[in-house]
Short mmCIF file of all heavy atoms in Angstrom, two decimals:
data_model
loop_
_atom_site.label_atom_id
_atom_site.label_comp_id
_atom_site.label_asym_id
_atom_site.label_seq_id
_atom_site.Cartn_x
_atom_site.Cartn_y
_atom_site.Cartn_z
N THR A 2 -72.28 88.69 -33.92
CA THR A 2 -72.76 89.71 -34.85
C THR A 2 -72.57 89.20 -36.28
O THR A 2 -71.81 88.29 -36.54
CB THR A 2 -71.97 91.03 -34.68
OG1 THR A 2 -70.59 90.77 -34.90
CG2 THR A 2 -72.17 91.62 -33.30
N PHE A 3 -73.30 89.83 -37.18
CA PHE A 3 -73.21 89.44 -38.59
C PHE A 3 -72.43 90.49 -39.36
O PHE A 3 -72.64 91.68 -39.18
CB PHE A 3 -74.62 89.31 -39.17
CG PHE A 3 -75.40 88.19 -38.57
CD1 PHE A 3 -76.23 88.40 -37.48
CD2 PHE A 3 -75.30 86.91 -39.09
CE1 PHE A 3 -76.94 87.38 -36.91
CE2 PHE A 3 -76.01 85.87 -38.53
CZ PHE A 3 -76.83 86.10 -37.44
N SER A 4 -71.53 90.05 -40.19
CA SER A 4 -70.77 90.93 -41.05
C SER A 4 -70.84 90.36 -42.46
O SER A 4 -70.17 89.39 -42.78
CB SER A 4 -69.31 90.99 -40.57
OG SER A 4 -68.53 91.74 -41.45
N GLY A 5 -71.68 90.97 -43.28
CA GLY A 5 -71.88 90.40 -44.61
C GLY A 5 -72.54 89.04 -44.46
O GLY A 5 -73.52 88.88 -43.76
N SER A 6 -71.97 88.03 -45.08
CA SER A 6 -72.51 86.68 -44.95
C SER A 6 -71.73 85.87 -43.92
O SER A 6 -71.96 84.68 -43.78
CB SER A 6 -72.49 85.98 -46.31
OG SER A 6 -71.15 85.89 -46.74
N ARG A 7 -70.82 86.52 -43.22
CA ARG A 7 -69.95 85.83 -42.27
C ARG A 7 -70.42 86.09 -40.84
O ARG A 7 -70.74 87.20 -40.47
CB ARG A 7 -68.53 86.36 -42.45
CG ARG A 7 -67.50 85.61 -41.70
CD ARG A 7 -66.16 86.23 -41.99
NE ARG A 7 -65.62 86.59 -40.70
CZ ARG A 7 -64.51 87.24 -40.52
NH1 ARG A 7 -63.82 87.66 -41.55
NH2 ARG A 7 -64.06 87.52 -39.33
N ILE A 8 -70.46 85.06 -40.02
CA ILE A 8 -70.81 85.22 -38.62
C ILE A 8 -69.52 85.38 -37.83
O ILE A 8 -68.59 84.59 -37.96
CB ILE A 8 -71.61 84.01 -38.08
CG1 ILE A 8 -72.93 83.91 -38.82
CG2 ILE A 8 -71.83 84.13 -36.59
CD1 ILE A 8 -73.75 82.72 -38.44
N MET A 9 -69.47 86.39 -37.00
CA MET A 9 -68.27 86.64 -36.20
C MET A 9 -68.56 86.26 -34.75
O MET A 9 -69.53 86.71 -34.16
CB MET A 9 -67.90 88.12 -36.28
CG MET A 9 -67.52 88.54 -37.67
SD MET A 9 -67.21 90.33 -37.81
CE MET A 9 -65.93 90.54 -36.62
N ASN A 10 -67.71 85.42 -34.20
CA ASN A 10 -67.83 85.02 -32.80
C ASN A 10 -66.69 85.62 -32.00
O ASN A 10 -66.11 84.96 -31.15
CB ASN A 10 -67.81 83.50 -32.68
CG ASN A 10 -69.07 82.88 -33.25
OD1 ASN A 10 -70.16 83.40 -33.05
ND2 ASN A 10 -68.91 81.81 -33.99
N GLU A 11 -66.38 86.85 -32.26
CA GLU A 11 -65.24 87.47 -31.60
C GLU A 11 -65.70 88.34 -30.45
O GLU A 11 -66.78 88.91 -30.47
CB GLU A 11 -64.43 88.30 -32.60
CG GLU A 11 -63.81 87.42 -33.68
CD GLU A 11 -63.04 88.22 -34.71
OE1 GLU A 11 -63.48 89.32 -35.05
OE2 GLU A 11 -62.03 87.72 -35.16
N ARG A 12 -64.84 88.42 -29.44
CA ARG A 12 -65.09 89.25 -28.26
C ARG A 12 -64.25 90.50 -28.34
O ARG A 12 -63.08 90.45 -28.68
CB ARG A 12 -64.72 88.49 -26.99
CG ARG A 12 -65.48 87.26 -26.76
CD ARG A 12 -64.96 86.56 -25.55
NE ARG A 12 -65.71 85.33 -25.35
CZ ARG A 12 -65.33 84.37 -24.56
NH1 ARG A 12 -64.21 84.45 -23.88
NH2 ARG A 12 -66.07 83.30 -24.41
N PHE A 13 -64.85 91.61 -27.98
CA PHE A 13 -64.12 92.87 -27.86
C PHE A 13 -63.49 92.89 -26.48
O PHE A 13 -64.19 92.76 -25.47
CB PHE A 13 -65.09 94.04 -28.06
CG PHE A 13 -64.42 95.37 -28.04
CD1 PHE A 13 -63.58 95.76 -29.06
CD2 PHE A 13 -64.64 96.25 -27.00
CE1 PHE A 13 -62.97 97.00 -29.06
CE2 PHE A 13 -64.03 97.49 -26.98
CZ PHE A 13 -63.20 97.86 -28.02
N GLN A 14 -62.18 93.02 -26.42
CA GLN A 14 -61.48 93.00 -25.15
C GLN A 14 -60.70 94.30 -24.96
O GLN A 14 -60.14 94.84 -25.92
CB GLN A 14 -60.53 91.80 -25.09
CG GLN A 14 -61.26 90.47 -25.19
CD GLN A 14 -60.33 89.30 -25.19
OE1 GLN A 14 -59.54 89.14 -24.26
NE2 GLN A 14 -60.41 88.48 -26.21
N VAL A 15 -60.68 94.78 -23.72
CA VAL A 15 -59.97 96.01 -23.38
C VAL A 15 -59.13 95.77 -22.14
O VAL A 15 -59.60 95.18 -21.17
CB VAL A 15 -60.96 97.17 -23.08
CG1 VAL A 15 -60.20 98.43 -22.71
CG2 VAL A 15 -61.88 97.41 -24.25
N ILE A 16 -57.89 96.24 -22.19
CA ILE A 16 -57.00 96.20 -21.02
C ILE A 16 -56.47 97.62 -20.87
O ILE A 16 -56.00 98.21 -21.85
CB ILE A 16 -55.85 95.22 -21.23
CG1 ILE A 16 -56.39 93.81 -21.39
CG2 ILE A 16 -54.84 95.29 -20.09
CD1 ILE A 16 -55.38 92.81 -21.88
N GLY A 17 -56.53 98.17 -19.67
CA GLY A 17 -56.09 99.54 -19.53
C GLY A 17 -55.54 99.89 -18.17
O GLY A 17 -55.87 99.26 -17.17
N LEU A 18 -54.70 100.90 -18.19
CA LEU A 18 -54.16 101.52 -16.98
C LEU A 18 -54.46 103.00 -17.09
O LEU A 18 -54.18 103.61 -18.11
CB LEU A 18 -52.64 101.34 -16.91
CG LEU A 18 -52.09 99.92 -16.93
CD1 LEU A 18 -50.58 99.96 -17.15
CD2 LEU A 18 -52.40 99.25 -15.61
N SER A 19 -55.02 103.59 -16.02
CA SER A 19 -55.33 105.01 -16.08
C SER A 19 -54.82 105.73 -14.84
O SER A 19 -54.50 105.10 -13.83
CB SER A 19 -56.84 105.23 -16.22
OG SER A 19 -57.47 105.03 -14.97
N HIS A 20 -54.78 107.05 -14.94
CA HIS A 20 -54.34 107.87 -13.82
C HIS A 20 -55.29 107.78 -12.63
O HIS A 20 -54.92 108.11 -11.52
CB HIS A 20 -54.20 109.33 -14.27
CG HIS A 20 -55.50 109.99 -14.57
ND1 HIS A 20 -56.18 109.77 -15.75
CD2 HIS A 20 -56.25 110.85 -13.85
CE1 HIS A 20 -57.30 110.47 -15.73
NE2 HIS A 20 -57.37 111.14 -14.59
N GLN A 21 -56.51 107.31 -12.87
CA GLN A 21 -57.49 107.22 -11.78
C GLN A 21 -57.19 106.09 -10.81
O GLN A 21 -57.54 106.18 -9.65
CB GLN A 21 -58.89 107.05 -12.36
CG GLN A 21 -59.31 108.28 -13.17
CD GLN A 21 -60.59 108.05 -13.91
OE1 GLN A 21 -60.91 106.94 -14.30
NE2 GLN A 21 -61.35 109.13 -14.12
N LYS A 22 -56.57 105.01 -11.29
CA LYS A 22 -56.36 103.85 -10.43
C LYS A 22 -54.94 103.33 -10.38
O LYS A 22 -54.64 102.45 -9.59
CB LYS A 22 -57.28 102.71 -10.88
CG LYS A 22 -58.74 103.02 -10.70
CD LYS A 22 -59.60 101.82 -10.98
CE LYS A 22 -61.05 102.16 -10.73
NZ LYS A 22 -61.92 101.01 -10.79
N THR A 23 -54.06 103.86 -11.24
CA THR A 23 -52.71 103.34 -11.32
C THR A 23 -51.69 104.43 -11.01
O THR A 23 -51.71 105.48 -11.64
CB THR A 23 -52.45 102.78 -12.74
OG1 THR A 23 -53.51 101.88 -13.09
CG2 THR A 23 -51.12 102.04 -12.80
N PRO A 24 -50.78 104.16 -10.08
CA PRO A 24 -49.76 105.17 -9.74
C PRO A 24 -48.88 105.51 -10.96
O PRO A 24 -48.66 104.67 -11.84
CB PRO A 24 -48.92 104.49 -8.66
CG PRO A 24 -49.71 103.33 -8.18
CD PRO A 24 -50.65 102.95 -9.28
N VAL A 25 -48.39 106.74 -10.98
CA VAL A 25 -47.58 107.21 -12.09
C VAL A 25 -46.35 106.34 -12.32
O VAL A 25 -45.93 106.13 -13.47
CB VAL A 25 -47.21 108.71 -11.92
CG1 VAL A 25 -46.25 108.91 -10.76
CG2 VAL A 25 -46.63 109.26 -13.20
N GLU A 26 -45.76 105.80 -11.26
CA GLU A 26 -44.56 104.96 -11.40
C GLU A 26 -44.84 103.72 -12.25
O GLU A 26 -43.97 103.25 -12.97
CB GLU A 26 -44.04 104.52 -10.03
CG GLU A 26 -43.60 105.66 -9.12
CD GLU A 26 -44.77 106.33 -8.39
OE1 GLU A 26 -45.87 105.73 -8.26
OE2 GLU A 26 -44.59 107.49 -7.97
N ILE A 27 -46.05 103.20 -12.16
CA ILE A 27 -46.41 102.02 -12.96
C ILE A 27 -46.80 102.46 -14.37
O ILE A 27 -46.39 101.83 -15.35
CB ILE A 27 -47.57 101.27 -12.29
CG1 ILE A 27 -47.19 100.90 -10.90
CG2 ILE A 27 -48.05 100.10 -13.16
CD1 ILE A 27 -47.11 99.50 -10.51
N ARG A 28 -47.58 103.52 -14.47
CA ARG A 28 -48.00 104.01 -15.81
C ARG A 28 -46.81 104.34 -16.67
O ARG A 28 -46.82 104.07 -17.88
CB ARG A 28 -48.90 105.25 -15.67
CG ARG A 28 -50.28 104.94 -15.17
CD ARG A 28 -51.26 106.09 -15.39
NE ARG A 28 -50.71 107.42 -15.23
CZ ARG A 28 -50.69 108.11 -14.10
NH1 ARG A 28 -51.16 107.59 -12.98
NH2 ARG A 28 -50.19 109.34 -14.07
N GLU A 29 -45.76 104.91 -16.08
CA GLU A 29 -44.56 105.25 -16.86
C GLU A 29 -43.93 104.02 -17.50
O GLU A 29 -43.41 104.10 -18.61
CB GLU A 29 -43.54 105.96 -15.97
CG GLU A 29 -43.90 107.36 -15.60
CD GLU A 29 -42.95 108.00 -14.60
OE1 GLU A 29 -42.18 107.26 -13.95
OE2 GLU A 29 -42.98 109.23 -14.46
N LYS A 30 -43.96 102.90 -16.81
CA LYS A 30 -43.37 101.67 -17.36
C LYS A 30 -44.16 101.13 -18.53
O LYS A 30 -43.62 100.45 -19.38
CB LYS A 30 -43.27 100.62 -16.25
CG LYS A 30 -42.27 101.01 -15.17
CD LYS A 30 -42.20 99.97 -14.09
CE LYS A 30 -41.19 100.42 -13.04
NZ LYS A 30 -41.03 99.47 -11.96
N PHE A 31 -45.45 101.43 -18.56
CA PHE A 31 -46.32 100.92 -19.62
C PHE A 31 -46.59 101.96 -20.71
O PHE A 31 -47.48 101.78 -21.52
CB PHE A 31 -47.63 100.40 -19.03
CG PHE A 31 -47.47 99.08 -18.33
CD1 PHE A 31 -47.19 99.04 -16.98
CD2 PHE A 31 -47.59 97.89 -19.02
CE1 PHE A 31 -47.04 97.84 -16.31
CE2 PHE A 31 -47.44 96.69 -18.38
CZ PHE A 31 -47.16 96.66 -17.03
N HIS A 32 -45.81 103.03 -20.73
CA HIS A 32 -45.96 104.02 -21.80
C HIS A 32 -45.26 103.49 -23.05
O HIS A 32 -44.14 102.99 -22.98
CB HIS A 32 -45.36 105.37 -21.40
CG HIS A 32 -45.49 106.37 -22.49
ND1 HIS A 32 -44.47 106.57 -23.40
CD2 HIS A 32 -46.50 107.18 -22.85
CE1 HIS A 32 -44.85 107.49 -24.27
NE2 HIS A 32 -46.08 107.87 -23.95
N PHE A 33 -45.91 103.59 -24.18
CA PHE A 33 -45.37 103.12 -25.46
C PHE A 33 -45.18 104.30 -26.39
O PHE A 33 -46.10 105.08 -26.60
CB PHE A 33 -46.32 102.13 -26.12
CG PHE A 33 -46.46 100.81 -25.44
CD1 PHE A 33 -47.25 100.67 -24.30
CD2 PHE A 33 -45.82 99.69 -25.94
CE1 PHE A 33 -47.39 99.44 -23.68
CE2 PHE A 33 -45.96 98.46 -25.33
CZ PHE A 33 -46.75 98.33 -24.19
N THR A 34 -43.99 104.42 -27.00
CA THR A 34 -43.81 105.37 -28.09
C THR A 34 -44.52 104.78 -29.31
O THR A 34 -44.93 103.60 -29.30
CB THR A 34 -42.32 105.57 -28.42
OG1 THR A 34 -41.79 104.32 -28.89
CG2 THR A 34 -41.54 106.05 -27.20
N ASP A 35 -44.63 105.55 -30.37
CA ASP A 35 -45.26 105.02 -31.59
C ASP A 35 -44.52 103.78 -32.11
O ASP A 35 -45.13 102.78 -32.47
CB ASP A 35 -45.30 106.09 -32.69
CG ASP A 35 -46.32 107.18 -32.38
OD1 ASP A 35 -47.19 106.98 -31.51
OD2 ASP A 35 -46.24 108.25 -33.02
N ALA A 36 -43.19 103.86 -32.13
CA ALA A 36 -42.40 102.71 -32.62
C ALA A 36 -42.57 101.50 -31.71
O ALA A 36 -42.70 100.37 -32.20
CB ALA A 36 -40.92 103.11 -32.71
N GLN A 37 -42.56 101.71 -30.40
CA GLN A 37 -42.75 100.60 -29.47
C GLN A 37 -44.15 99.99 -29.61
O GLN A 37 -44.31 98.77 -29.56
CB GLN A 37 -42.55 101.08 -28.03
CG GLN A 37 -41.12 101.40 -27.70
CD GLN A 37 -41.00 102.07 -26.33
OE1 GLN A 37 -41.86 102.85 -25.92
NE2 GLN A 37 -39.90 101.79 -25.65
N ALA A 38 -45.15 100.84 -29.82
CA ALA A 38 -46.52 100.35 -30.00
C ALA A 38 -46.61 99.47 -31.24
O ALA A 38 -47.20 98.39 -31.20
CB ALA A 38 -47.49 101.52 -30.09
N GLN A 39 -46.01 99.91 -32.33
CA GLN A 39 -46.03 99.11 -33.56
C GLN A 39 -45.34 97.78 -33.35
O GLN A 39 -45.84 96.73 -33.78
CB GLN A 39 -45.37 99.87 -34.71
CG GLN A 39 -46.18 101.02 -35.21
CD GLN A 39 -45.47 101.78 -36.30
OE1 GLN A 39 -44.25 101.71 -36.47
NE2 GLN A 39 -46.23 102.54 -37.07
N HIS A 40 -44.19 97.81 -32.68
CA HIS A 40 -43.45 96.58 -32.40
C HIS A 40 -44.27 95.64 -31.50
O HIS A 40 -44.35 94.44 -31.76
CB HIS A 40 -42.10 96.91 -31.75
CG HIS A 40 -41.24 95.74 -31.50
ND1 HIS A 40 -40.58 95.07 -32.51
CD2 HIS A 40 -40.92 95.10 -30.35
CE1 HIS A 40 -39.90 94.07 -31.99
NE2 HIS A 40 -40.09 94.06 -30.68
N PHE A 41 -44.88 96.19 -30.46
CA PHE A 41 -45.69 95.38 -29.56
C PHE A 41 -46.87 94.74 -30.30
O PHE A 41 -47.14 93.55 -30.14
CB PHE A 41 -46.21 96.24 -28.39
CG PHE A 41 -47.16 95.50 -27.50
CD1 PHE A 41 -46.69 94.56 -26.59
CD2 PHE A 41 -48.52 95.73 -27.57
CE1 PHE A 41 -47.57 93.85 -25.78
CE2 PHE A 41 -49.40 95.05 -26.76
CZ PHE A 41 -48.93 94.10 -25.86
N LEU A 42 -47.56 95.52 -31.11
CA LEU A 42 -48.71 94.99 -31.85
C LEU A 42 -48.29 93.88 -32.82
O LEU A 42 -49.01 92.88 -32.98
CB LEU A 42 -49.43 96.11 -32.58
CG LEU A 42 -50.12 97.13 -31.67
CD1 LEU A 42 -50.65 98.29 -32.49
CD2 LEU A 42 -51.22 96.49 -30.84
N LEU A 43 -47.14 94.03 -33.44
CA LEU A 43 -46.63 92.97 -34.32
C LEU A 43 -46.32 91.71 -33.52
O LEU A 43 -46.62 90.59 -33.98
CB LEU A 43 -45.39 93.44 -35.07
CG LEU A 43 -45.64 94.45 -36.19
CD1 LEU A 43 -44.31 94.99 -36.73
CD2 LEU A 43 -46.46 93.82 -37.31
N GLN A 44 -45.74 91.87 -32.35
CA GLN A 44 -45.44 90.71 -31.49
C GLN A 44 -46.72 89.99 -31.07
O GLN A 44 -46.80 88.77 -31.14
CB GLN A 44 -44.67 91.13 -30.24
CG GLN A 44 -43.21 91.36 -30.48
CD GLN A 44 -42.47 91.54 -29.15
OE1 GLN A 44 -43.00 92.07 -28.19
NE2 GLN A 44 -41.23 91.11 -29.13
N VAL A 45 -47.72 90.76 -30.66
CA VAL A 45 -48.99 90.15 -30.25
C VAL A 45 -49.61 89.43 -31.44
O VAL A 45 -50.11 88.31 -31.29
CB VAL A 45 -49.95 91.22 -29.68
CG1 VAL A 45 -51.33 90.62 -29.44
CG2 VAL A 45 -49.40 91.79 -28.38
N SER A 46 -49.55 90.03 -32.59
CA SER A 46 -50.09 89.40 -33.79
C SER A 46 -49.38 88.09 -34.09
O SER A 46 -50.01 87.07 -34.38
CB SER A 46 -49.97 90.36 -34.98
OG SER A 46 -50.48 89.77 -36.13
N ASP A 47 -48.04 88.10 -34.01
CA ASP A 47 -47.26 86.89 -34.27
C ASP A 47 -47.51 85.79 -33.23
O ASP A 47 -47.65 84.63 -33.57
CB ASP A 47 -45.77 87.21 -34.31
CG ASP A 47 -45.36 88.00 -35.54
OD1 ASP A 47 -46.15 88.06 -36.50
OD2 ASP A 47 -44.25 88.55 -35.53
N ILE A 48 -47.56 86.18 -31.96
CA ILE A 48 -47.66 85.19 -30.88
C ILE A 48 -49.08 84.68 -30.68
O ILE A 48 -49.30 83.47 -30.54
CB ILE A 48 -47.11 85.77 -29.56
CG1 ILE A 48 -45.60 86.05 -29.72
CG2 ILE A 48 -47.38 84.85 -28.38
CD1 ILE A 48 -44.99 86.87 -28.59
N LEU A 49 -50.06 85.59 -30.68
CA LEU A 49 -51.44 85.21 -30.38
C LEU A 49 -52.34 85.15 -31.62
O LEU A 49 -53.49 84.73 -31.52
CB LEU A 49 -52.05 86.15 -29.35
CG LEU A 49 -51.35 86.21 -28.00
CD1 LEU A 49 -52.03 87.23 -27.09
CD2 LEU A 49 -51.32 84.84 -27.34
N GLY A 50 -51.83 85.62 -32.74
CA GLY A 50 -52.62 85.57 -33.96
C GLY A 50 -53.71 86.64 -34.03
O GLY A 50 -54.62 86.52 -34.85
N LEU A 51 -53.62 87.66 -33.22
CA LEU A 51 -54.64 88.71 -33.23
C LEU A 51 -54.34 89.69 -34.35
O LEU A 51 -53.24 90.21 -34.45
CB LEU A 51 -54.68 89.44 -31.88
CG LEU A 51 -55.05 88.59 -30.68
CD1 LEU A 51 -55.01 89.41 -29.41
CD2 LEU A 51 -56.43 87.98 -30.87
N GLN A 52 -55.33 89.95 -35.17
CA GLN A 52 -55.14 90.85 -36.31
C GLN A 52 -55.83 92.19 -36.09
O GLN A 52 -55.37 93.21 -36.62
CB GLN A 52 -55.69 90.21 -37.58
CG GLN A 52 -54.99 88.92 -37.95
CD GLN A 52 -53.49 89.09 -38.13
OE1 GLN A 52 -53.05 90.03 -38.78
NE2 GLN A 52 -52.70 88.22 -37.54
N GLU A 53 -56.91 92.21 -35.33
CA GLU A 53 -57.64 93.45 -35.10
C GLU A 53 -57.34 93.93 -33.70
O GLU A 53 -57.90 93.44 -32.73
CB GLU A 53 -59.12 93.21 -35.33
CG GLU A 53 -59.36 92.63 -36.71
CD GLU A 53 -60.66 93.06 -37.32
OE1 GLU A 53 -61.15 94.14 -36.97
OE2 GLU A 53 -61.16 92.30 -38.13
#
Side-chain angles (χ1 to χ4, degrees):
T2 59
F3 294 92
S4 175
S6 62
R7 189 179 123 185
I8 297 176
M9 297 175 57
N10 291 318
E11 295 178 324
R12 298 176 180 165
F13 183 69
Q14 298 178 57
V15 179
I16 298 168
L18 302 168
S19 77
H20 69 282
Q21 296 172 330
K22 295 188 177 188
T23 309
V25 68
E26 298 81 20
I27 304 242
R28 287 195 324 269
E29 287 174 344
K30 293 180 181 181
F31 285 91
H32 179 266
F33 290 78
T34 64
D35 288 344
Q37 290 171 325
Q39 289 178 340
H40 183 74
F41 174 75
L42 293 172
L43 287 172
Q44 281 189 327
V45 172
S46 180
D47 289 345
I48 295 169
L49 299 178
L51 298 178
Q52 299 302 314
E53 304 212 27

